[in-house]
mmCIF file of all heavy atoms in Angstrom:
data_model
loop_
_atom_site.group_PDB
_atom_site.id
_atom_site.type_symbol
_atom_site.label_atom_id
_atom_site.label_comp_id
_atom_site.label_asym_id
_atom_site.label_seq_id
_atom_site.Cartn_x
_atom_site.Cartn_y
_atom_site.Cartn_z
ATOM 1 N N ALA L 124 24.725 46.028 47.096
ATOM 2 C CA ALA L 124 25.740 47.078 47.131
ATOM 3 C C ALA L 124 26.029 47.492 48.569
ATOM 4 O O ALA L 124 25.111 47.694 49.370
ATOM 5 C CB ALA L 124 25.271 48.293 46.330
ATOM 6 N N GLN L 125 27.302 47.612 48.874
ATOM 7 C CA GLN L 125 27.733 48.065 50.190
ATOM 8 C C GLN L 125 28.455 49.391 50.034
ATOM 9 O O GLN L 125 29.427 49.506 49.274
ATOM 10 C CB GLN L 125 28.666 47.039 50.841
ATOM 11 C CG GLN L 125 29.187 47.468 52.210
ATOM 12 C CD GLN L 125 30.138 46.442 52.799
ATOM 13 O OE1 GLN L 125 30.420 45.419 52.190
ATOM 14 N NE2 GLN L 125 30.629 46.716 54.000
ATOM 15 N N ASP L 126 27.996 50.399 50.775
ATOM 16 C CA ASP L 126 28.614 51.719 50.722
ATOM 17 C C ASP L 126 29.852 51.719 51.619
ATOM 18 O O ASP L 126 29.760 51.509 52.826
ATOM 19 C CB ASP L 126 27.614 52.776 51.195
ATOM 20 C CG ASP L 126 28.122 54.191 50.988
ATOM 21 O OD1 ASP L 126 29.287 54.362 50.569
ATOM 22 O OD2 ASP L 126 27.344 55.129 51.227
ATOM 23 N N THR L 127 31.011 51.950 51.014
ATOM 24 C CA THR L 127 32.265 51.959 51.767
ATOM 25 C C THR L 127 32.650 53.358 52.225
ATOM 26 O O THR L 127 33.653 53.524 52.917
ATOM 27 C CB THR L 127 33.405 51.390 50.915
ATOM 28 O OG1 THR L 127 33.665 52.266 49.814
ATOM 29 C CG2 THR L 127 33.057 50.006 50.398
ATOM 30 N N GLY L 128 31.874 54.364 51.852
ATOM 31 C CA GLY L 128 32.224 55.747 52.166
ATOM 32 C C GLY L 128 33.039 56.394 51.065
ATOM 33 O O GLY L 128 33.059 57.616 50.937
ATOM 34 N N ARG L 129 33.699 55.583 50.265
ATOM 35 C CA ARG L 129 34.483 56.090 49.134
ATOM 36 C C ARG L 129 34.058 55.430 47.824
ATOM 37 O O ARG L 129 34.796 55.435 46.843
ATOM 38 C CB ARG L 129 35.984 55.836 49.376
ATOM 39 C CG ARG L 129 36.562 56.627 50.533
ATOM 40 C CD ARG L 129 38.052 56.421 50.651
ATOM 41 N NE ARG L 129 38.383 55.038 50.981
ATOM 42 C CZ ARG L 129 39.629 54.580 51.105
ATOM 43 N NH1 ARG L 129 40.654 55.398 50.873
ATOM 44 N NH2 ARG L 129 39.841 53.319 51.432
ATOM 45 N N GLY L 130 32.869 54.875 47.849
ATOM 46 C CA GLY L 130 32.363 54.168 46.686
ATOM 47 C C GLY L 130 31.551 52.962 47.123
ATOM 48 O O GLY L 130 31.282 52.774 48.308
ATOM 49 N N TRP L 131 31.160 52.159 46.154
ATOM 50 C CA TRP L 131 30.315 51.005 46.422
ATOM 51 C C TRP L 131 31.039 49.722 46.048
ATOM 52 O O TRP L 131 31.824 49.688 45.101
ATOM 53 C CB TRP L 131 29.019 51.090 45.617
ATOM 54 C CG TRP L 131 28.155 52.245 45.990
ATOM 55 C CD1 TRP L 131 28.242 53.528 45.531
ATOM 56 C CD2 TRP L 131 27.061 52.234 46.910
ATOM 57 N NE1 TRP L 131 27.276 54.314 46.097
ATOM 58 C CE2 TRP L 131 26.536 53.553 46.943
ATOM 59 C CE3 TRP L 131 26.464 51.247 47.701
ATOM 60 C CZ2 TRP L 131 25.446 53.887 47.738
ATOM 61 C CZ3 TRP L 131 25.377 51.589 48.488
ATOM 62 C CH2 TRP L 131 24.876 52.896 48.507
ATOM 63 N N GLN L 132 30.750 48.662 46.784
ATOM 64 C CA GLN L 132 31.233 47.336 46.454
ATOM 65 C C GLN L 132 30.023 46.431 46.217
ATOM 66 O O GLN L 132 29.082 46.430 47.005
ATOM 67 C CB GLN L 132 32.101 46.759 47.575
ATOM 68 C CG GLN L 132 33.456 47.451 47.716
ATOM 69 C CD GLN L 132 34.303 46.849 48.815
ATOM 70 O OE1 GLN L 132 33.786 46.301 49.783
ATOM 71 N NE2 GLN L 132 35.616 46.968 48.687
ATOM 72 N N LEU L 133 30.073 45.671 45.142
ATOM 73 C CA LEU L 133 28.954 44.834 44.733
ATOM 74 C C LEU L 133 29.286 43.360 44.944
ATOM 75 O O LEU L 133 30.390 42.914 44.637
ATOM 76 C CB LEU L 133 28.635 45.073 43.260
ATOM 77 C CG LEU L 133 28.358 46.524 42.853
ATOM 78 C CD1 LEU L 133 28.029 46.598 41.369
ATOM 79 C CD2 LEU L 133 27.229 47.118 43.688
ATOM 80 N N SER L 134 28.316 42.631 45.463
ATOM 81 C CA SER L 134 28.489 41.199 45.683
ATOM 82 C C SER L 134 27.234 40.449 45.267
ATOM 83 O O SER L 134 26.117 40.948 45.398
ATOM 84 C CB SER L 134 28.790 40.904 47.161
ATOM 85 O OG SER L 134 30.006 41.508 47.565
ATOM 86 N N GLY L 135 27.433 39.231 44.780
ATOM 87 C CA GLY L 135 26.328 38.374 44.389
ATOM 88 C C GLY L 135 26.862 37.089 43.801
ATOM 89 O O GLY L 135 27.970 37.061 43.255
ATOM 90 N N GLN L 136 26.089 36.032 43.884
ATOM 91 C CA GLN L 136 26.551 34.729 43.421
ATOM 92 C C GLN L 136 25.513 34.063 42.530
ATOM 93 O O GLN L 136 24.314 34.287 42.673
ATOM 94 C CB GLN L 136 26.862 33.809 44.603
ATOM 95 C CG GLN L 136 28.035 34.262 45.448
ATOM 96 C CD GLN L 136 28.363 33.265 46.547
ATOM 97 O OE1 GLN L 136 27.500 32.539 47.012
ATOM 98 N NE2 GLN L 136 29.627 33.228 46.947
ATOM 99 N N GLY L 137 26.032 33.248 41.608
ATOM 100 C CA GLY L 137 25.168 32.389 40.821
ATOM 101 C C GLY L 137 24.438 33.044 39.681
ATOM 102 O O GLY L 137 23.444 32.501 39.186
ATOM 103 N N LEU L 138 24.911 34.206 39.197
ATOM 104 C CA LEU L 138 24.291 34.805 38.030
ATOM 105 C C LEU L 138 24.721 34.030 36.788
ATOM 106 O O LEU L 138 25.887 33.645 36.657
ATOM 107 C CB LEU L 138 24.681 36.272 37.885
ATOM 108 C CG LEU L 138 24.034 37.249 38.868
ATOM 109 C CD1 LEU L 138 24.787 37.259 40.188
ATOM 110 C CD2 LEU L 138 23.992 38.656 38.288
ATOM 111 N N GLN L 139 23.797 33.780 35.874
ATOM 112 C CA GLN L 139 24.076 33.028 34.659
ATOM 113 C C GLN L 139 24.088 33.969 33.460
ATOM 114 O O GLN L 139 23.339 34.939 33.416
ATOM 115 C CB GLN L 139 23.008 31.945 34.443
ATOM 116 C CG GLN L 139 22.849 30.982 35.592
ATOM 117 C CD GLN L 139 23.936 29.920 35.641
ATOM 118 O OE1 GLN L 139 24.781 29.846 34.753
ATOM 119 N NE2 GLN L 139 23.911 29.080 36.660
ATOM 120 N N ALA L 140 24.934 33.653 32.485
ATOM 121 C CA ALA L 140 25.025 34.507 31.305
ATOM 122 C C ALA L 140 25.528 33.714 30.120
ATOM 123 O O ALA L 140 26.204 32.697 30.264
ATOM 124 C CB ALA L 140 25.955 35.693 31.570
ATOM 125 N N VAL L 141 25.171 34.176 28.934
ATOM 126 C CA VAL L 141 25.786 33.737 27.690
ATOM 127 C C VAL L 141 26.596 34.910 27.141
ATOM 128 O O VAL L 141 26.524 36.022 27.659
ATOM 129 C CB VAL L 141 24.720 33.300 26.661
ATOM 130 C CG1 VAL L 141 24.000 32.048 27.130
ATOM 131 C CG2 VAL L 141 23.724 34.426 26.409
ATOM 132 N N ASN L 142 27.385 34.641 26.100
ATOM 133 C CA ASN L 142 28.242 35.669 25.507
ATOM 134 C C ASN L 142 29.208 36.238 26.540
ATOM 135 O O ASN L 142 29.391 37.450 26.648
ATOM 136 C CB ASN L 142 27.403 36.798 24.883
ATOM 137 C CG ASN L 142 28.205 37.629 23.886
ATOM 138 O OD1 ASN L 142 29.086 37.116 23.202
ATOM 139 N ND2 ASN L 142 27.902 38.911 23.815
ATOM 140 N N ALA L 143 29.817 35.347 27.299
ATOM 141 C CA ALA L 143 30.788 35.720 28.331
ATOM 142 C C ALA L 143 32.146 35.106 27.981
ATOM 143 O O ALA L 143 32.586 34.144 28.616
ATOM 144 C CB ALA L 143 30.320 35.251 29.698
ATOM 145 N N PRO L 144 32.838 35.622 26.952
ATOM 146 C CA PRO L 144 34.077 35.009 26.483
ATOM 147 C C PRO L 144 35.209 35.160 27.485
ATOM 148 O O PRO L 144 35.243 36.117 28.267
ATOM 149 C CB PRO L 144 34.392 35.772 25.186
ATOM 150 C CG PRO L 144 33.734 37.101 25.372
ATOM 151 C CD PRO L 144 32.487 36.823 26.157
ATOM 152 N N PRO L 145 36.155 34.238 27.474
ATOM 153 C CA PRO L 145 37.249 34.276 28.451
ATOM 154 C C PRO L 145 38.158 35.484 28.309
ATOM 155 O O PRO L 145 38.820 35.865 29.271
ATOM 156 C CB PRO L 145 38.006 32.969 28.182
ATOM 157 C CG PRO L 145 37.632 32.586 26.789
ATOM 158 C CD PRO L 145 36.234 33.054 26.599
ATOM 159 N N GLN L 146 38.191 36.098 27.135
ATOM 160 C CA GLN L 146 39.077 37.254 26.952
ATOM 161 C C GLN L 146 38.507 38.544 27.557
ATOM 162 O O GLN L 146 39.198 39.556 27.599
ATOM 163 C CB GLN L 146 39.393 37.471 25.468
ATOM 164 C CG GLN L 146 38.183 37.765 24.596
ATOM 165 C CD GLN L 146 37.612 36.522 23.948
ATOM 166 O OE1 GLN L 146 37.640 35.451 24.547
ATOM 167 N NE2 GLN L 146 37.111 36.654 22.732
ATOM 168 N N GLY L 147 37.269 38.500 28.048
ATOM 169 C CA GLY L 147 36.704 39.660 28.732
ATOM 170 C C GLY L 147 35.424 40.150 28.092
ATOM 171 O O GLY L 147 35.206 39.993 26.887
ATOM 172 N N PHE L 148 34.562 40.757 28.916
ATOM 173 C CA PHE L 148 33.275 41.247 28.431
ATOM 174 C C PHE L 148 32.719 42.272 29.415
ATOM 175 O O PHE L 148 33.188 42.390 30.555
ATOM 176 C CB PHE L 148 32.281 40.096 28.263
ATOM 177 C CG PHE L 148 32.027 39.301 29.519
ATOM 178 C CD1 PHE L 148 30.965 39.607 30.368
ATOM 179 C CD2 PHE L 148 32.868 38.253 29.874
ATOM 180 C CE1 PHE L 148 30.742 38.885 31.528
ATOM 181 C CE2 PHE L 148 32.653 37.516 31.033
ATOM 182 C CZ PHE L 148 31.595 37.827 31.858
ATOM 183 N N SER L 149 31.717 43.004 28.959
ATOM 184 C CA SER L 149 30.994 43.941 29.820
ATOM 185 C C SER L 149 29.675 43.294 30.236
ATOM 186 O O SER L 149 29.052 42.575 29.448
ATOM 187 C CB SER L 149 30.725 45.255 29.087
ATOM 188 O OG SER L 149 31.944 45.916 28.795
ATOM 189 N N PHE L 150 29.285 43.556 31.479
ATOM 190 C CA PHE L 150 28.142 42.866 32.072
ATOM 191 C C PHE L 150 27.150 43.886 32.601
ATOM 192 O O PHE L 150 27.475 44.680 33.496
ATOM 193 C CB PHE L 150 28.636 41.959 33.193
ATOM 194 C CG PHE L 150 27.576 41.081 33.808
ATOM 195 C CD1 PHE L 150 26.816 40.230 33.035
ATOM 196 C CD2 PHE L 150 27.371 41.094 35.179
ATOM 197 C CE1 PHE L 150 25.861 39.404 33.602
ATOM 198 C CE2 PHE L 150 26.422 40.281 35.765
ATOM 199 C CZ PHE L 150 25.664 39.432 34.974
ATOM 200 N N VAL L 151 25.955 43.895 32.039
ATOM 201 C CA VAL L 151 24.873 44.746 32.522
ATOM 202 C C VAL L 151 24.216 44.039 33.693
ATOM 203 O O VAL L 151 23.605 42.981 33.519
ATOM 204 C CB VAL L 151 23.857 45.025 31.410
ATOM 205 C CG1 VAL L 151 22.672 45.826 31.957
ATOM 206 C CG2 VAL L 151 24.515 45.773 30.249
ATOM 207 N N ALA L 152 24.354 44.610 34.884
ATOM 208 C CA ALA L 152 23.944 43.899 36.100
ATOM 209 C C ALA L 152 22.858 44.655 36.862
ATOM 210 O O ALA L 152 22.930 45.883 37.000
ATOM 211 C CB ALA L 152 25.151 43.703 37.009
ATOM 212 N N PRO L 153 21.870 43.939 37.392
ATOM 213 C CA PRO L 153 20.868 44.551 38.275
ATOM 214 C C PRO L 153 21.447 44.723 39.679
ATOM 215 O O PRO L 153 22.107 43.819 40.194
ATOM 216 C CB PRO L 153 19.722 43.540 38.265
ATOM 217 C CG PRO L 153 20.391 42.231 38.003
ATOM 218 C CD PRO L 153 21.606 42.510 37.157
ATOM 219 N N VAL L 154 21.196 45.879 40.277
ATOM 220 C CA VAL L 154 21.809 46.215 41.560
ATOM 221 C C VAL L 154 20.751 46.706 42.534
ATOM 222 O O VAL L 154 19.826 47.440 42.167
ATOM 223 C CB VAL L 154 22.881 47.323 41.390
ATOM 224 C CG1 VAL L 154 23.548 47.630 42.715
ATOM 225 C CG2 VAL L 154 23.915 46.912 40.354
ATOM 226 N N GLN L 155 20.896 46.300 43.788
ATOM 227 C CA GLN L 155 20.081 46.826 44.878
ATOM 228 C C GLN L 155 20.975 47.688 45.749
ATOM 229 O O GLN L 155 21.901 47.196 46.387
ATOM 230 C CB GLN L 155 19.472 45.699 45.700
ATOM 231 C CG GLN L 155 18.444 46.156 46.719
ATOM 232 C CD GLN L 155 17.154 46.633 46.054
ATOM 233 O OE1 GLN L 155 16.684 46.018 45.105
ATOM 234 N NE2 GLN L 155 16.585 47.722 46.557
#
Side-chain angles (χ1 to χ4, degrees):
Q125 178 182 1
D126 188 355
T127 66
R129 294 184 295 178
W131 296 85
Q132 290 181 332
L133 305 181
S134 297
Q136 294 184 332
L138 286 83
Q139 304 282 355
V141 293
N142 199 33
Q146 61 266 34
F148 58 93
S149 295
F150 186 55
V151 176
V154 182
Q155 189 71 41

